[in-house]
Amino acid sequence: MKQPPYHISIPQNLMDLLSLYRKNPASLLMAGGTHLLNHTLNREGEHYSILSLTQLEELQKISRTDRYAEAGCCVTINRMIETAYIFRSPLLQDTLCQMGPYPIRNSATVGGNLCIPGRRKDLFPVLQLLDTRVEIRYVKPKRNKRMSMKSRWIHINNLLSHDGEINLAEGEMITRVRIPYYDGNFTFHRKVNIKDDFYLSVNCLATIEKGVLSDIRLIFTNEEKLIIRNRDIEANLLGRRFPLGKKDHDQLMGNLSHFYMPNENPYETYLIRNLFRQLLESLADPPENLQGTW
């Protein structure tokens, strides 16, 4: 009898899931499966062990405090959109609403979007700007050989290795994200196609007071592991009054090439410059772009 191409386990609690994952760390974790079904489970001749997360209610919870909101890794994109009043971030809301059509957003999850191999999708740069922390859980045997669940929180910056891959040890998984509230009044989100289904995005959070930029967080990403948040760019913008004069505008555009390493793809370099120009124009138009209290 021919062996099926995959074996699916459906744990009923987190301890069972992590115990199975420790025994077989090569298993694929599946919640919504939007990327997994389209890009991973299509290689003929390979056998897959799949751990389904669909029955774990603990990973589908949303909560908040006065300082931050939390979402389990299996919270869907549409559910985050529907509970936008909890996350209180116009930038996050704009990003979520542009993450594909409704049926995809209804299945795609927070954890899945963060952990796609070799890709840094829409959520990652935005959560970086918001200084998000992620909870990582795993099980470890005690002296009596019984399993004990462990957890740790890390900043999302530390989730990536030097080569841009997700930096998790065998048997570890992301279970929650903790998103602090940001009190700025300006957001900017642009996403354009580079090739196939790869996109270049520019995201910005800022505070503008009486036309003066008092705080800014800016990040570029091209989904192919490249994420650039250059503090020199931010420092160069900080304290400037908008709208800019022509001299200051030309200086900032000229300095961009020093802060952003030109890519081998000239089209991508052109897009970066064009999107940065759009950002400067948006900062110069606060009545339309300033965000009120969420």
Side-chain angles (χ1 to χ4, degrees):
M1 183 176 178
K2 186 178 179 180
Q3 186 182 30
Y6 50 81
H7 171 77
I8 300 178
S9 299
I10 309 177
Q12 300 300 304
N13 58 68
L14 193 53
M15 176 62 82
D16 288 347
L17 168 69
L18 292 173
S19 297
L20 288 171
Y21 198 30
R22 177 184 170 85
K23 292 178 182 177
N24 187 5
S27 298
L28 300 175
L29 302 177
M30 185 169 73
T34 52
H35 182 84
L36 205 61
L37 295 174
N38 289 323
H39 297 85
T40 303
L41 302 180
N42 57 2
R43 302 171 189 168
E44 295 184 5
E46 291 194 27
H47 178 77
Y48 301 95
S49 173
I50 298 173
L51 297 177
S52 172
L53 312 183
T54 55
Q55 300 300 308
L56 303 179
E57 293 185 5
E58 180 180 350
L59 303 182
Q60 301 172 23
K61 293 181 179 179
I62 294 175
S63 61
R64 67 176 174 181
T65 69
D66 293 337
R67 296 182 294 110
Y68 56 78
E70 289 185 351
C73 67
C74 291
V75 172
T76 65
I77 302 305
N78 270 347
R79 187 155 170 243
M80 289 189 74
I81 293 173
E82 293 164 0
T83 55
Y85 62 92
I86 292 179
F87 297 98
R88 290 167 40 186
S89 171
L91 176 61
L92 180 60
Q93 181 75 352
D94 288 347
T95 302
L96 294 169
C97 289
Q98 294 184 39
M99 289 173 60
Y102 187 92
I104 296 296
R105 299 199 309 263
N106 218 31
S107 298
T109 61
V110 175
N113 191 269
L114 291 178
C115 294
I116 293 175
R119 305 268 305 261
R120 300 286 74 83
K121 299 290 283 182
D122 305 68
L123 273 182
F124 210 101
V126 174
L127 294 184
Q128 273 192 301
L129 287 187
L130 290 167
D131 282 333
T132 299
R133 301 182 71 83
V134 296
E135 181 190 44
I136 296 171
R137 290 198 190 185
Y138 57 98
V139 292
K140 187 176 181 180
K142 297 189 291 187
R143 290 184 178 180
N144 59 9
K145 297 185 179 180
R146 291 186 177 181
M147 291 296 176
S148 172
M149 190 183 304
K150 304 291 184 180
S151 69
R152 58 190 174 98
W153 287 90
I154 63 171
H155 193 281
I156 195 169
N157 288 343
N158 299 324
L159 191 59
L160 294 181
S161 62
H162 293 299
D163 61 357
E165 291 290 354
I166 297 296
N167 188 24
L168 293 175
E170 287 190 350
E172 291 185 339
M173 66 171 287
I174 296 173
T175 50
R176 276 186 294 175
V177 295
R178 178 177 292 170
I179 308 172
Y181 296 133
Y182 178 75
D183 294 328
N185 55 14
F186 174 89
T187 66
F188 181 87
H189 172 73
R190 295 292 186 276
K191 176 180 171 182
V192 293
N193 180 257
I194 303 175
K195 60 179 180 179
D196 302 327
D197 63 339
F198 283 82
Y199 291 83
L200 177 74
S201 67
V202 177
N203 294 280
C204 177
L205 289 170
T207 301
I208 304 176
E209 299 173 345
K210 298 181 180 179
V212 177
L213 193 63
S214 59
D215 183 50
I216 185 167
R217 304 176 185 180
L218 175 63
I219 197 164
F220 303 91
T221 180
N222 70 352
E223 292 195 7
E224 294 181 298
K225 301 183 185 179
L226 178 65
I227 296 179
I228 296 178
R229 183 183 177 191
N230 191 305
R231 302 304 175 101
D232 291 332
I233 298 179
E234 297 174 355
N236 204 28
L237 287 165
L238 207 59
R240 292 184 182 266
R241 180 176 293 277
F242 287 83
L244 295 169
K246 185 178 185 304
K247 181 179 178 181
D248 287 342
H249 182 278
D250 293 345
Q251 180 189 36
L252 286 170
M253 291 302 302
N255 288 341
L256 181 62
S257 59
H258 298 295
F259 299 134
Y260 175 77
M261 184 67 68
N263 193 276
E264 294 180 359
N265 182 352
Y267 178 58
E268 185 173 331
T269 302
Y270 163 78
L271 288 176
I272 284 287
R273 291 184 59 82
N274 190 43
L275 291 173
F276 187 66
R277 184 180 293 108
Q278 290 182 37
L279 170 63
L280 296 181
E281 292 172 354
S282 296
L283 286 167
D285 188 18
E288 182 178 349
N289 292 285
L290 287 178
Q291 304 288 343
T293 302
W294 191 256

